[in-house]
Amino acid sequence: MLIMSIESTCDETAVAITENGRRVLTDQIFSQADLHAVYGGVVPEIASRSHVEVISQLAQRAIDIAGIQKSDLDAVAVSYAPGLIGAVLVGVNFAKSVALALGIPLIPVHHIKGHIAANYIAFPELEPPFLCMAISGGNTLLSDVRSYTEMKIIGATRDDAAGECFDKTARVLGLPYPGGKHVDKLSQAGDDRKYDLPRSHVEGNPYDMSFSGLKTAVVNLVHNAEQKGEELDRESLCASFTRAVSDSLLPRTMQLARELGYRKIAVAGGVAANSRIRADFAVAAEKEGFELFIPPLSLCGDNAAMIGCQGYYEFLAGHTAGSDLNAFANMEIDQ
Ligand code: KG4
């Protein structure tokens, strides 16, 4: 089954062609990062307009590179929630037009389910059930992946997403947007014990997380140092910060895997590209004999192949949409 898939929830426009879910014929990604860098973050209006400008050309290029005809397509899948609403609408409307023009099914895909599905592309042997920590720019979720399409959120951030926290840390240190990868790079030369930063404990649910206290602590530390004219050890601040994020993610994931009796743990989303977080999960999984799945860096950030992969499983489960499909800024993964 050949699926064209569309991703436009934030600042990447992407169109992929996948076969039977896991085989990627092409994944065309246009990153708008340069357009937003000057503002230090994503400007929603600019994001929407840029998606409108490039999406048709990307789709044509995907068809050409995959070496197929439009008439070969069996369905079109689209990331329809959550995301910047104007941006998501561009992809949803484009996918509806493709479905209408070619007379093929339209498959709505939850963006975070797509991130989790990136693991199916990277690891052909992976099948649910497993536990997944999904960490991206807008979401931080610990999910019980019960089947390809049914997931249950067991824990989530109560405030900022881990990626937002990386981006804010980068911004306050004057690093370019998007900042996560720059914080990652600097932290590799730092002492992760130099700065004492808070770890959150959230009342009520041991698997919920909070990153706003950590974010505020970093901002205060930088501002205080500036006011006193003190030089900060930026590498060590990045390393101490990243260790604090990892300390919020890893123990909860391990504890829940033990509690649920799962042997398979996956990590997904843009922040899964972080070298320290990858290494910490690898060491802990090896120690306890868990099987660990983290996509290669190319599949951690937003892409359309992951939407095509999840779209395939949604289609098999009978989850298609009519021409009245809408886009949603917010939607729980288990809604
Ligand atoms: O999954 P993603 O591409 O977009 C969303 O769906 O949100 O995630 C983007 C986030 C950004 O916050 C970015 O700074 C962060 O992932 N990120 C990283 C790294 N690479 C990207 N954070 C930490 N370390 C990295 N190496």
Side-chain angles (χ1 to χ4, degrees):
M1 178 180 193
L2 276 184
I3 295 182
M4 171 183 275
S5 49
I6 317 284
E7 162 59 42
S8 71
T9 56
C10 191
D11 61 345
E12 264 92 23
T13 323
V15 181
I17 311 285
T18 50
E19 187 178 32
N20 296 337
R22 302 196 186 211
R23 184 169 165 251
V24 182
L25 276 62
T26 184
D27 191 2
Q28 295 296 311
I29 305 173
F30 173 78
S31 170
Q32 305 173 356
D34 291 348
L35 298 179
H36 302 289
V38 62
Y39 304 102
V42 178
V43 181
E45 166 92 11
I46 293 175
S48 308
R49 287 180 183 278
S50 175
H51 289 309
V52 169
E53 276 172 359
V54 305
I55 198 161
S56 303
Q57 298 162 55
L58 272 189
Q60 186 60 57
R61 194 193 295 167
I63 285 168
D64 294 344
I65 290 177
I68 61 162
Q69 306 293 317
K70 290 188 194 94
S71 55
D72 295 329
L73 290 171
D74 296 302
V76 55
V78 63
S79 196
Y80 78 123
L84 298 172
I85 193 62
V88 192
L89 277 165
V90 176
V92 167
N93 217 30
F94 185 80
K96 283 161 88 161
S97 309
V98 171
L100 181 68
L102 300 179
I104 55 177
L106 174 65
I107 312 167
V109 175
H110 190 286
H111 177 74
I112 301 300
K113 283 187 178 176
H115 272 302
I116 295 171
N119 279 292
Y120 301 136
I121 297 172
F123 304 101
E125 73 282 12
L126 178 63
E127 286 177 11
F130 57 89
L131 185 63
C132 186
M133 176 59 92
I135 29 178
S136 70
N139 297 271
T140 306
L141 301 176
L142 189 51
S143 299
D144 176 2
V145 182
R146 294 176 174 172
S147 75
Y148 284 109
T149 54
E150 286 163 68
M151 329 219 160
K152 176 104 192 98
I153 299 175
I154 313 284
T157 179
R158 295 262 181 104
D159 40 57
D160 298 329
E164 254 172 282
C165 206
F166 267 100
D167 292 338
K168 183 69 189 182
T169 295
R171 194 169 171 169
V172 80
L173 288 173
L175 299 169
Y177 171 84
K181 64 179 179 205
H182 300 287
V183 171
D184 189 354
K185 200 156 176 229
L186 277 188
S187 71
Q188 290 169 25
D191 169 5
D192 66 5
R193 296 189 181 262
K194 180 153 182 179
Y195 294 98
D196 188 21
L197 295 169
R199 275 82 173 140
S200 65
H201 169 77
V202 180
E203 289 295 321
N205 178 357
Y207 298 114
D208 274 353
M209 296 156 273
S210 161
F211 294 99
S212 67
L214 174 60
K215 181 179 82 178
T216 307
V218 172
V219 171
N220 288 344
L221 211 133
V222 173
H223 288 166
N224 285 342
E226 276 168 6
Q227 274 166 10
K228 292 182 193 155
E230 288 170 4
E231 187 83 11
L232 272 174
D233 175 353
R234 289 150 56 93
E235 285 83 359
S236 295
L237 179 55
C238 288
S240 304
F241 163 77
T242 307
R243 183 164 78 95
V245 175
S246 188
D247 284 352
S248 289
L249 304 172
L250 181 61
R252 286 176 170 89
T253 312
M254 292 296 156
Q255 178 57 35
L256 185 57
R258 281 182 222 115
E259 195 179 305
L260 295 177
Y262 282 171
R263 302 311 302 164
K264 291 186 275 188
I265 293 175
V267 187
V271 182
N274 185 268
S275 57
R276 167 73 192 254
I277 293 171
R278 295 173 83 90
D280 285 355
F281 270 81
V283 169
E286 159 113 54
K287 201 167 147 209
E288 292 201 41
F290 290 121
E291 259 189 288
L292 178 68
F293 303 88
I294 311 183
L297 300 198
S298 59
L299 284 168
C300 286
D302 286 349
N303 66 85
M306 67 187 197
I307 303 302
C309 181
Q310 182 62 26
Y312 174 72
Y313 292 107
E314 297 291 347
F315 181 81
L316 294 184
H319 301 160
T320 55
S323 56
D324 58 347
L325 177 68
N326 211 336
F328 299 90
N330 299 300
M331 183 182 288
E332 298 295 354
I333 203 170
D334 49 4
Q335 198 168 311

